[in-house]
């Protein structure tokens, strides 16, 4: 069966299956199990109301449980076993990882990524948001800077491969070097600094995200505070740093953490640009080097990534609970 | 607020220039790719894409075989035009070119400037003029194949769809001509097993069910979390927020094993289910946040009028939540279209089942690493759809981003 036909059938089965499930389950609940008539009508209605939320939640919870909760536990358990999965080796895989120099490189690089990319993307995003705020063509400018968000990491990497290409007739960086009389270089092979050239790609993508959210936050600042500052003689820079930024600090933190989480998970850029060579390895791409080869070590790296993300996750949950109150 | 104090005109000017510079810096990489994808492959390696509108000096080789040698006194003379010779003809069919230099050795293809006299290996002389006309004089009778001539010519910019056709059908211009001669139509070539068009279709096949199915499941769950009262609701919402950031890397090994055990293996069904599961937290979170903000009066008056929860959901909540549904649909579409990790793990690794991102990252970058025109065209085919969705649906995308991050 062709995948295309399979896709159409899946959509139909999925959509009608979902609607059918909700409709039929609801009907059975109301008419068969707890009918709203007879001597216990009132009690039955209450019971049906108590059960219904779970009916609505069931498919989602089943899918979430299977595809996100079970893997967390499953991965951890798998990481305690050897390559074939038949021998329990405790923390053997972890011991291997922490002794592996490539893992250490990946850990250090990941820390660099997690520091630099969110900071740079948030900074550029904030600058663009502020500068375009009162510009007549601000929306067009924002649209164009936002556009890389739509491009895949693979596509973006390819785009930047053109920028970084060693041939001065292809790579614009080396073309500029050529004009001022310098030898061509391959930016992704310069030790240590190549990490930053790769980060530039993600910054290029994520600045638009930061900009959109910070721009909305800037618009939400009460005008009175700004007017008062201007009347008191604040110059534009004071206005920005002392009045506006403190008021949107909460949003800045949210943007920062969101990008941080993303950074910890992205493997595409390193995978396409260098394949983890030249000292650019990061944890997600390091994990892919074990995928399909050694499930034990692959899951161990995944668990390490989870541990790294955990603080942000807890912070997120706390924030969400604060909002709900 | 445009004329407030502190907003002097010089500052305004500086702001305009800075923003313009930033926009240009942000656009340059994409523009470079876009321009390159339409350039002829020889021109790409000969000059940068920023020089695309200008003529490019390329070197060619040919044989002086368009005219028969004739005898003038004790000399043999061949006179003809470079552009009419057999090997050069194809390259200059409709283009006006200007010859800048010529030579007779491959190592020095343009050692003599056009119009000057050059020496051939057999001791004769060769003159090639900038309009292509040449005169070759030698004391011995030249062989039938004609003298080997190298020349450099300024070729006008050559914009072509050739890269796109090559990448989509996996056949270069000559192979396409052969297939056409063999009676293959364009569509038959397009659906060739090896062409990237196949991967393009696969990407759609993966993306659309993965976008549609989570929406429904999430909508019901979001309604329950937003408007139904039951014990443990707060806890569930917190759990959803936590699941938002669970790294997908954790899911790969256990789920692939699970899929293998229950017989799905690496297949489209598997990736649809995986994308559905991975997309649900964001879907539920976005939709719940939106539904909570809907006016309570409407829902309560519907309840008073005797509507059941199911009716309230399908008749009131769902239509009112359209903007949030659209936001999530766009997110999920972009995410699944652009995804590399999930596709690499959950889809079979044969060429016919790959999606665009995997094909580009694993095949083209390796085997066609130096073929920039092909790479650019492939990248652009994969980028075009999400960028189109992005520009047409930007409003919903922004709204979704704001609902997801700022509360």
């Amino acid at each position: 069966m062709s995948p295309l036909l399979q896709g159409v059938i899946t959509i139909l089965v999925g959509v009608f299956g979902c609607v059918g499930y909700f409709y039929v389950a609801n009907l059975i609940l109301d008419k068969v199990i707890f009918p709203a008539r007879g001597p216990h009508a009132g009690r039955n209605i209450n019971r049906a109301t108590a059960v219904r939320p779970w009916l609505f939640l069931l498919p989602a919870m089943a899918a979430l449980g299977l595809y996100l909760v079970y893997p967390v536990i499953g991965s951890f358990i798998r990481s305690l076993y050897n390559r074939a999965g038949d021998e329990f080796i405790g923390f053997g895989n972890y011991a291997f990882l922490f002794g592996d120099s490539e893992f250490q490189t990946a850990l250090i690089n990941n820390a660099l990524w997690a520091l630099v990319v969110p900071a740079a993307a948030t900074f550029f995003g904030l600058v663009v948001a502020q500068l375009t705020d009162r510009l007549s063509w601000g929306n067009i400018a924002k649209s164009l800077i936002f556009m890389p968000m739509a491009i895949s990491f693979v596509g973006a990497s390819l785009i930047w491969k053109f920028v970084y290409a060693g041939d001065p007739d292809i790579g614009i960086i080396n073309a500029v070097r050529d004009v001022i009389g310098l030898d061509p270089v391959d930016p992704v092979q310069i030790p240590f600094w190549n990490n930053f050239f790769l980060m530039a790609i993600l910054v290029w993508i994520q600045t638009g995200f930061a900009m959109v959210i910070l721009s909305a936050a800037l618009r939400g600042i009460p005008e009175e505070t700004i007017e008062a500052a201007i009347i008191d003689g604040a110059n534009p820079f004071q206005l920005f740093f002392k009045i506006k930024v403190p008021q949107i600090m909460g949003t800045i933190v949210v943007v920062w953490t969101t990008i941080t989480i993303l950074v910890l998970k992205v493997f595409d850029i390193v995978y396409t640009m260098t394949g983890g060579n030249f000292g650019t390895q990061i944890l997600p791409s390091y994990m892919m080097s074990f995928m399909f080869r050694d499930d034990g070590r692959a899951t161990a790296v995944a668990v390490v990534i989870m541990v790294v993300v955990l603080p942000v996750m807890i912070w997120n949950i706390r924030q969400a609970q604060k909002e709900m109150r | 607020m445009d004329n407030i104090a502190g907003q002097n005109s010089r500052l305004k000017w500086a702001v305009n220039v800075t923003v313009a510079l930033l926009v240009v810096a942000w656009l340059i990489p994409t523009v470079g790719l876009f321009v390159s994808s339409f350039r002829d492959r020889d021109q790409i390696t000969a000059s940068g894409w920023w020089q695309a509108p200008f003529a490019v000096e390329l070197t060619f080789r040919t044989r002086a075989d368009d005219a028969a040698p004739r005898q003038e006194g004790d000399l043999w003379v061949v006179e003809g035009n470079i552009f009419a010779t057999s090997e050069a003809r194809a390259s200059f069919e409709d283009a006006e070119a200007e010859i800048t230099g010529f030579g007779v050795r491959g190592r020095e293809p343009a050692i003599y400037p056009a119009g000057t006299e050059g020496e051939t290996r057999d001791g004769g002389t060769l003159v090639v003029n900038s309009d292509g006309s040449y005169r070759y004089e030698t004391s011995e009778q030249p062989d039938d194949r004609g003298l080997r001539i190298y020349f450099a010519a300024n070729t006008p910019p050559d914009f072509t769809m050739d890269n796109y056709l090559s990448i989509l059908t996996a056949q270069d211009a000559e192979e396409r001509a052969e297939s056409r001669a063999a009676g293959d139509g364009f569509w038959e070539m397009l659906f060739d097993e090896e062409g990237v068009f196949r991967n393009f279709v696969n990407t759609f096949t993966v993306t659309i069910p993965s976008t549609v199915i989570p929406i429904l499941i999430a909508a019901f769950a979001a309604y329950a979390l937003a408007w139904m009262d039951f014990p443990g609701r707060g806890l569930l919402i917190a759990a959803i927020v936590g699941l938002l950031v669970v790294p997908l890397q954790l899911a790969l090994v256990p789920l692939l094993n699970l899929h293998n055990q229950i017989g799905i293996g690496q297949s489209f069904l598997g990736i649809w289910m995986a994308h559905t599961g991975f997309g649900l937290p964001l879907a539920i979170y976005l939709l719940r946040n939106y539904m909570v903000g809907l006016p309570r009066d409407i829902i309560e008056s519907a309840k008073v009028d005797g509507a059941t929860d199911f009716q309230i959901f399908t008749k009131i909540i769902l239509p009112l939540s359209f903007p949030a549904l659209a936001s999530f649909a766009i997110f999920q579409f972009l995410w699944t279209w652009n995804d590399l990790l999930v596709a690499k793990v959950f889809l079979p690794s044969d060429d016919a089942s790959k999606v665009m991102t995997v094909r580009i990252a694993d095949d083209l970058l390796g085997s066609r690493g130096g073929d920039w025109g092909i790479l650019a065209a492939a990248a652009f085919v994969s980028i075009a759809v999400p960028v189109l969705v992005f520009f047409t649906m930007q409003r919903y995308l922004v709204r979704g981003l704001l609902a997801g991050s700022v509360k």
Side-chain angles (χ1 to χ4, degrees), chain B residues 281-314:
Chain B
L282 183 69
I284 298 175
Y285 181 69
L286 275 183
L287 292 177
R288 184 203 158 261
N289 277 358
Y290 189 86
M291 287 177 186
V292 157
L294 293 175
R296 178 173 284 273
D297 303 355
I298 305 178
I299 292 153
E300 279 181 354
S301 51
K303 270 192 184 151
V304 170
D305 289 348
T308 64
D309 271 317
F310 193 77
Q311 285 169 324
I312 292 174
F313 175 74
T314 50

mmCIF file of all heavy atoms in Angstrom, chain B residues 281-314:
data_model
loop_
_atom_site.group_PDB
_atom_site.id
_atom_site.type_symbol
_atom_site.label_atom_id
_atom_site.label_comp_id
_atom_site.label_asym_id
_atom_site.label_seq_id
_atom_site.Cartn_x
_atom_site.Cartn_y
_atom_site.Cartn_z
ATOM 1 N N PRO B 281 1.556 17.471 24.524
ATOM 2 C CA PRO B 281 1.676 18.415 25.645
ATOM 3 C C PRO B 281 1.477 19.858 25.203
ATOM 4 O O PRO B 281 0.702 20.597 25.815
ATOM 5 C CB PRO B 281 3.099 18.195 26.156
ATOM 6 C CG PRO B 281 3.476 16.847 25.716
ATOM 7 C CD PRO B 281 2.742 16.597 24.433
ATOM 8 N N LEU B 282 2.138 20.244 24.113
ATOM 9 C CA LEU B 282 1.989 21.621 23.642
ATOM 10 C C LEU B 282 0.544 21.878 23.227
ATOM 11 O O LEU B 282 -0.026 22.933 23.530
ATOM 12 C CB LEU B 282 2.930 21.892 22.472
ATOM 13 C CG LEU B 282 2.869 23.333 21.980
ATOM 14 C CD1 LEU B 282 3.468 24.270 23.016
ATOM 15 C CD2 LEU B 282 3.581 23.505 20.651
ATOM 16 N N ALA B 283 -0.066 20.915 22.544
ATOM 17 C CA ALA B 283 -1.446 21.094 22.089
ATOM 18 C C ALA B 283 -2.369 21.312 23.276
ATOM 19 O O ALA B 283 -3.162 22.254 23.300
ATOM 20 C CB ALA B 283 -1.883 19.877 21.289
ATOM 21 N N ILE B 284 -2.264 20.445 24.278
ATOM 22 C CA ILE B 284 -3.157 20.557 25.431
ATOM 23 C C ILE B 284 -2.902 21.880 26.149
ATOM 24 O O ILE B 284 -3.831 22.595 26.519
ATOM 25 C CB ILE B 284 -2.953 19.372 26.392
ATOM 26 C CG1 ILE B 284 -3.298 18.062 25.674
ATOM 27 C CG2 ILE B 284 -3.804 19.533 27.635
ATOM 28 C CD1 ILE B 284 -3.025 16.829 26.495
ATOM 29 N N TYR B 285 -1.620 22.211 26.307
ATOM 30 C CA TYR B 285 -1.252 23.424 27.035
ATOM 31 C C TYR B 285 -1.795 24.676 26.339
ATOM 32 O O TYR B 285 -2.459 25.513 26.954
ATOM 33 C CB TYR B 285 0.268 23.476 27.141
ATOM 34 C CG TYR B 285 0.811 24.658 27.887
ATOM 35 C CD1 TYR B 285 0.633 24.776 29.256
ATOM 36 C CD2 TYR B 285 1.506 25.655 27.215
ATOM 37 C CE1 TYR B 285 1.132 25.866 29.940
ATOM 38 C CE2 TYR B 285 2.021 26.740 27.891
ATOM 39 C CZ TYR B 285 1.826 26.837 29.251
ATOM 40 O OH TYR B 285 2.325 27.916 29.922
ATOM 41 N N LEU B 286 -1.551 24.766 25.036
ATOM 42 C CA LEU B 286 -2.028 25.933 24.276
ATOM 43 C C LEU B 286 -3.545 26.023 24.309
ATOM 44 O O LEU B 286 -4.115 27.078 24.590
ATOM 45 C CB LEU B 286 -1.592 25.822 22.814
ATOM 46 C CG LEU B 286 -0.217 26.308 22.411
ATOM 47 C CD1 LEU B 286 -0.044 26.160 20.911
ATOM 48 C CD2 LEU B 286 -0.036 27.748 22.818
ATOM 49 N N LEU B 287 -4.210 24.908 24.023
ATOM 50 C CA LEU B 287 -5.669 24.931 23.926
ATOM 51 C C LEU B 287 -6.297 25.210 25.289
ATOM 52 O O LEU B 287 -7.262 25.965 25.388
ATOM 53 C CB LEU B 287 -6.185 23.603 23.362
ATOM 54 C CG LEU B 287 -5.835 23.348 21.902
ATOM 55 C CD1 LEU B 287 -6.317 21.984 21.467
ATOM 56 C CD2 LEU B 287 -6.447 24.417 21.018
ATOM 57 N N ARG B 288 -5.732 24.615 26.339
ATOM 58 C CA ARG B 288 -6.302 24.856 27.666
ATOM 59 C C ARG B 288 -6.171 26.334 28.021
ATOM 60 O O ARG B 288 -7.129 26.953 28.476
ATOM 61 C CB ARG B 288 -5.596 24.013 28.718
ATOM 62 C CG ARG B 288 -6.234 24.183 30.057
ATOM 63 C CD ARG B 288 -5.338 23.857 31.225
ATOM 64 N NE ARG B 288 -5.863 24.546 32.397
ATOM 65 C CZ ARG B 288 -5.380 25.689 32.858
ATOM 66 N NH1 ARG B 288 -4.359 26.253 32.270
ATOM 67 N NH2 ARG B 288 -5.916 26.266 33.909
ATOM 68 N N ASN B 289 -4.976 26.894 27.805
ATOM 69 C CA ASN B 289 -4.791 28.306 28.124
ATOM 70 C C ASN B 289 -5.785 29.167 27.376
ATOM 71 O O ASN B 289 -6.271 30.169 27.893
ATOM 72 C CB ASN B 289 -3.372 28.750 27.743
ATOM 73 C CG ASN B 289 -2.384 28.408 28.833
ATOM 74 O OD1 ASN B 289 -2.786 27.880 29.873
ATOM 75 N ND2 ASN B 289 -1.122 28.677 28.591
ATOM 76 N N TYR B 290 -6.096 28.786 26.162
ATOM 77 C CA TYR B 290 -7.028 29.588 25.386
ATOM 78 C C TYR B 290 -8.453 29.386 25.886
ATOM 79 O O TYR B 290 -9.202 30.346 26.076
ATOM 80 C CB TYR B 290 -6.929 29.210 23.913
ATOM 81 C CG TYR B 290 -7.711 30.137 23.027
ATOM 82 C CD1 TYR B 290 -7.155 31.314 22.568
ATOM 83 C CD2 TYR B 290 -9.027 29.845 22.678
ATOM 84 C CE1 TYR B 290 -7.861 32.177 21.781
ATOM 85 C CE2 TYR B 290 -9.746 30.713 21.888
ATOM 86 C CZ TYR B 290 -9.159 31.873 21.435
ATOM 87 O OH TYR B 290 -9.872 32.733 20.654
ATOM 88 N N MET B 291 -8.818 28.127 26.131
ATOM 89 C CA MET B 291 -10.199 27.834 26.528
ATOM 90 C C MET B 291 -10.540 28.437 27.881
ATOM 91 O O MET B 291 -11.661 28.878 28.109
ATOM 92 C CB MET B 291 -10.419 26.324 26.562
ATOM 93 C CG MET B 291 -10.491 25.708 25.179
ATOM 94 S SD MET B 291 -10.665 23.932 25.296
ATOM 95 C CE MET B 291 -10.545 23.474 23.577
ATOM 96 N N VAL B 292 -9.551 28.468 28.787
ATOM 97 C CA VAL B 292 -9.801 29.048 30.103
ATOM 98 C C VAL B 292 -10.217 30.507 29.971
ATOM 99 O O VAL B 292 -11.016 31.014 30.744
ATOM 100 C CB VAL B 292 -8.527 28.906 30.978
ATOM 101 C CG1 VAL B 292 -8.509 29.925 32.079
ATOM 102 C CG2 VAL B 292 -8.463 27.516 31.561
ATOM 103 N N GLY B 293 -9.692 31.169 28.945
ATOM 104 C CA GLY B 293 -9.996 32.578 28.771
ATOM 105 C C GLY B 293 -11.348 32.851 28.123
ATOM 106 O O GLY B 293 -11.765 34.004 28.036
ATOM 107 N N LEU B 294 -12.044 31.829 27.679
ATOM 108 C CA LEU B 294 -13.363 32.051 27.056
ATOM 109 C C LEU B 294 -14.346 32.487 28.134
ATOM 110 O O LEU B 294 -14.253 32.052 29.277
ATOM 111 C CB LEU B 294 -13.855 30.763 26.390
ATOM 112 C CG LEU B 294 -13.050 30.300 25.176
ATOM 113 C CD1 LEU B 294 -13.562 28.953 24.694
ATOM 114 C CD2 LEU B 294 -13.129 31.317 24.059
ATOM 115 N N PRO B 295 -15.312 33.349 27.773
ATOM 116 C CA PRO B 295 -16.217 33.879 28.792
ATOM 117 C C PRO B 295 -17.055 32.782 29.470
ATOM 118 O O PRO B 295 -17.662 31.954 28.803
ATOM 119 C CB PRO B 295 -17.100 34.859 28.014
ATOM 120 C CG PRO B 295 -16.831 34.601 26.579
ATOM 121 C CD PRO B 295 -15.517 33.944 26.462
ATOM 122 N N ARG B 296 -17.058 32.833 30.785
ATOM 123 C CA ARG B 296 -17.777 31.841 31.578
ATOM 124 C C ARG B 296 -19.286 31.920 31.338
ATOM 125 O O ARG B 296 -19.974 30.892 31.356
ATOM 126 C CB ARG B 296 -17.460 32.102 33.057
ATOM 127 C CG ARG B 296 -18.131 31.208 34.055
ATOM 128 C CD ARG B 296 -17.602 31.476 35.450
ATOM 129 N NE ARG B 296 -16.274 30.899 35.634
ATOM 130 C CZ ARG B 296 -16.073 29.640 36.025
ATOM 131 N NH1 ARG B 296 -17.087 28.863 36.269
ATOM 132 N NH2 ARG B 296 -14.856 29.171 36.180
ATOM 133 N N ASP B 297 -19.788 33.124 31.081
ATOM 134 C CA ASP B 297 -21.241 33.316 30.936
ATOM 135 C C ASP B 297 -21.820 32.421 29.851
ATOM 136 O O ASP B 297 -22.864 31.801 30.030
ATOM 137 C CB ASP B 297 -21.557 34.776 30.566
ATOM 138 C CG ASP B 297 -21.008 35.721 31.595
ATOM 139 O OD1 ASP B 297 -20.484 35.202 32.605
ATOM 140 O OD2 ASP B 297 -21.075 36.941 31.388
ATOM 141 N N ILE B 298 -21.127 32.382 28.715
ATOM 142 C CA ILE B 298 -21.654 31.608 27.590
ATOM 143 C C ILE B 298 -21.837 30.160 27.999
ATOM 144 O O ILE B 298 -22.879 29.548 27.784
ATOM 145 C CB ILE B 298 -20.677 31.652 26.399
ATOM 146 C CG1 ILE B 298 -20.367 33.087 26.013
ATOM 147 C CG2 ILE B 298 -21.236 30.884 25.221
ATOM 148 C CD1 ILE B 298 -19.387 33.186 24.875
ATOM 149 N N ILE B 299 -20.810 29.631 28.643
ATOM 150 C CA ILE B 299 -20.831 28.215 28.981
ATOM 151 C C ILE B 299 -21.904 27.942 30.025
ATOM 152 O O ILE B 299 -22.661 26.975 29.933
ATOM 153 C CB ILE B 299 -19.442 27.789 29.459
ATOM 154 C CG1 ILE B 299 -18.480 27.851 28.262
ATOM 155 C CG2 ILE B 299 -19.459 26.399 30.046
ATOM 156 C CD1 ILE B 299 -17.074 28.084 28.629
ATOM 157 N N GLU B 300 -22.010 28.859 31.010
ATOM 158 C CA GLU B 300 -22.995 28.617 32.058
ATOM 159 C C GLU B 300 -24.413 28.756 31.546
ATOM 160 O O GLU B 300 -25.299 27.976 31.905
ATOM 161 C CB GLU B 300 -22.721 29.531 33.249
ATOM 162 C CG GLU B 300 -21.601 28.904 34.064
ATOM 163 C CD GLU B 300 -21.213 29.674 35.289
ATOM 164 O OE1 GLU B 300 -21.745 30.791 35.476
ATOM 165 O OE2 GLU B 300 -20.371 29.167 36.039
ATOM 166 N N SER B 301 -24.622 29.734 30.674
ATOM 167 C CA SER B 301 -25.991 29.866 30.169
ATOM 168 C C SER B 301 -26.359 28.674 29.296
ATOM 169 O O SER B 301 -27.507 28.225 29.292
ATOM 170 C CB SER B 301 -26.196 31.178 29.416
ATOM 171 O OG SER B 301 -25.194 31.342 28.449
ATOM 172 N N ALA B 302 -25.370 28.129 28.599
ATOM 173 C CA ALA B 302 -25.644 26.928 27.811
ATOM 174 C C ALA B 302 -26.006 25.774 28.729
ATOM 175 O O ALA B 302 -26.932 25.002 28.461
ATOM 176 C CB ALA B 302 -24.432 26.566 26.963
ATOM 177 N N LYS B 303 -25.326 25.695 29.862
ATOM 178 C CA LYS B 303 -25.623 24.619 30.813
ATOM 179 C C LYS B 303 -27.031 24.782 31.378
ATOM 180 O O LYS B 303 -27.775 23.803 31.525
ATOM 181 C CB LYS B 303 -24.600 24.643 31.957
ATOM 182 C CG LYS B 303 -23.390 23.775 31.665
ATOM 183 C CD LYS B 303 -22.537 23.581 32.897
ATOM 184 C CE LYS B 303 -21.298 22.780 32.512
ATOM 185 N NZ LYS B 303 -20.146 23.090 33.343
ATOM 186 N N VAL B 304 -27.370 26.021 31.699
ATOM 187 C CA VAL B 304 -28.709 26.282 32.241
ATOM 188 C C VAL B 304 -29.769 25.880 31.226
ATOM 189 O O VAL B 304 -30.808 25.320 31.566
ATOM 190 C CB VAL B 304 -28.846 27.778 32.617
ATOM 191 C CG1 VAL B 304 -30.278 28.128 32.956
ATOM 192 C CG2 VAL B 304 -27.932 28.099 33.789
ATOM 193 N N ASP B 305 -29.480 26.143 29.953
ATOM 194 C CA ASP B 305 -30.443 25.777 28.908
ATOM 195 C C ASP B 305 -30.480 24.279 28.647
ATOM 196 O O ASP B 305 -31.201 23.831 27.754
ATOM 197 C CB ASP B 305 -30.095 26.494 27.593
ATOM 198 C CG ASP B 305 -30.400 27.975 27.688
ATOM 199 O OD1 ASP B 305 -31.077 28.352 28.670
ATOM 200 O OD2 ASP B 305 -29.955 28.744 26.824
ATOM 201 N N GLY B 306 -29.677 23.512 29.376
ATOM 202 C CA GLY B 306 -29.777 22.061 29.276
ATOM 203 C C GLY B 306 -28.780 21.407 28.345
ATOM 204 O O GLY B 306 -28.939 20.244 27.991
ATOM 205 N N ALA B 307 -27.752 22.156 27.920
ATOM 206 C CA ALA B 307 -26.752 21.539 27.042
ATOM 207 C C ALA B 307 -25.858 20.608 27.858
ATOM 208 O O ALA B 307 -25.537 20.914 29.008
ATOM 209 C CB ALA B 307 -25.909 22.609 26.369
ATOM 210 N N THR B 308 -25.506 19.490 27.274
ATOM 211 C CA THR B 308 -24.570 18.591 27.950
ATOM 212 C C THR B 308 -23.151 19.065 27.683
ATOM 213 O O THR B 308 -22.917 19.918 26.819
ATOM 214 C CB THR B 308 -24.712 17.157 27.428
ATOM 215 O OG1 THR B 308 -24.338 17.159 26.048
ATOM 216 C CG2 THR B 308 -26.126 16.645 27.588
ATOM 217 N N ASP B 309 -22.206 18.489 28.443
ATOM 218 C CA ASP B 309 -20.806 18.870 28.249
ATOM 219 C C ASP B 309 -20.367 18.620 26.812
ATOM 220 O O ASP B 309 -19.629 19.413 26.226
ATOM 221 C CB ASP B 309 -19.907 18.065 29.203
ATOM 222 C CG ASP B 309 -19.744 18.772 30.529
ATOM 223 O OD1 ASP B 309 -19.545 19.995 30.505
ATOM 224 O OD2 ASP B 309 -19.836 18.111 31.574
ATOM 225 N N PHE B 310 -20.831 17.498 26.281
ATOM 226 C CA PHE B 310 -20.441 17.143 24.922
ATOM 227 C C PHE B 310 -20.934 18.190 23.927
ATOM 228 O O PHE B 310 -20.204 18.600 23.030
ATOM 229 C CB PHE B 310 -21.012 15.762 24.574
ATOM 230 C CG PHE B 310 -20.417 15.172 23.336
ATOM 231 C CD1 PHE B 310 -19.154 14.600 23.362
ATOM 232 C CD2 PHE B 310 -21.117 15.188 22.134
ATOM 233 C CE1 PHE B 310 -18.604 14.058 22.221
ATOM 234 C CE2 PHE B 310 -20.570 14.652 20.993
ATOM 235 C CZ PHE B 310 -19.312 14.086 21.040
ATOM 236 N N GLN B 311 -22.188 18.625 24.126
ATOM 237 C CA GLN B 311 -22.741 19.649 23.225
ATOM 238 C C GLN B 311 -22.015 20.978 23.403
ATOM 239 O O GLN B 311 -21.707 21.659 22.426
ATOM 240 C CB GLN B 311 -24.234 19.839 23.503
ATOM 241 C CG GLN B 311 -25.071 18.695 22.947
ATOM 242 C CD GLN B 311 -26.482 18.751 23.436
ATOM 243 O OE1 GLN B 311 -26.732 19.130 24.583
ATOM 244 N NE2 GLN B 311 -27.406 18.374 22.570
ATOM 245 N N ILE B 312 -21.750 21.334 24.655
ATOM 246 C CA ILE B 312 -21.034 22.597 24.892
ATOM 247 C C ILE B 312 -19.700 22.572 24.166
ATOM 248 O O ILE B 312 -19.310 23.526 23.494
ATOM 249 C CB ILE B 312 -20.810 22.813 26.400
ATOM 250 C CG1 ILE B 312 -22.141 23.052 27.097
ATOM 251 C CG2 ILE B 312 -19.872 23.985 26.644
ATOM 252 C CD1 ILE B 312 -22.024 23.120 28.591
ATOM 253 N N PHE B 313 -19.047 21.435 24.285
ATOM 254 C CA PHE B 313 -17.729 21.332 23.662
ATOM 255 C C PHE B 313 -17.803 21.457 22.147
ATOM 256 O O PHE B 313 -17.109 22.280 21.545
ATOM 257 C CB PHE B 313 -17.077 19.998 24.047
ATOM 258 C CG PHE B 313 -15.770 19.773 23.359
ATOM 259 C CD1 PHE B 313 -14.641 20.468 23.747
ATOM 260 C CD2 PHE B 313 -15.667 18.887 22.301
ATOM 261 C CE1 PHE B 313 -13.441 20.275 23.109
ATOM 262 C CE2 PHE B 313 -14.468 18.695 21.653
ATOM 263 C CZ PHE B 313 -13.352 19.397 22.057
ATOM 264 N N THR B 314 -18.686 20.658 21.530
ATOM 265 C CA THR B 314 -18.689 20.654 20.061
ATOM 266 C C THR B 314 -19.348 21.899 19.486
ATOM 267 O O THR B 314 -18.952 22.373 18.427
ATOM 268 C CB THR B 314 -19.409 19.414 19.510
ATOM 269 O OG1 THR B 314 -20.672 19.304 20.156
ATOM 270 C CG2 THR B 314 -18.611 18.157 19.742
#
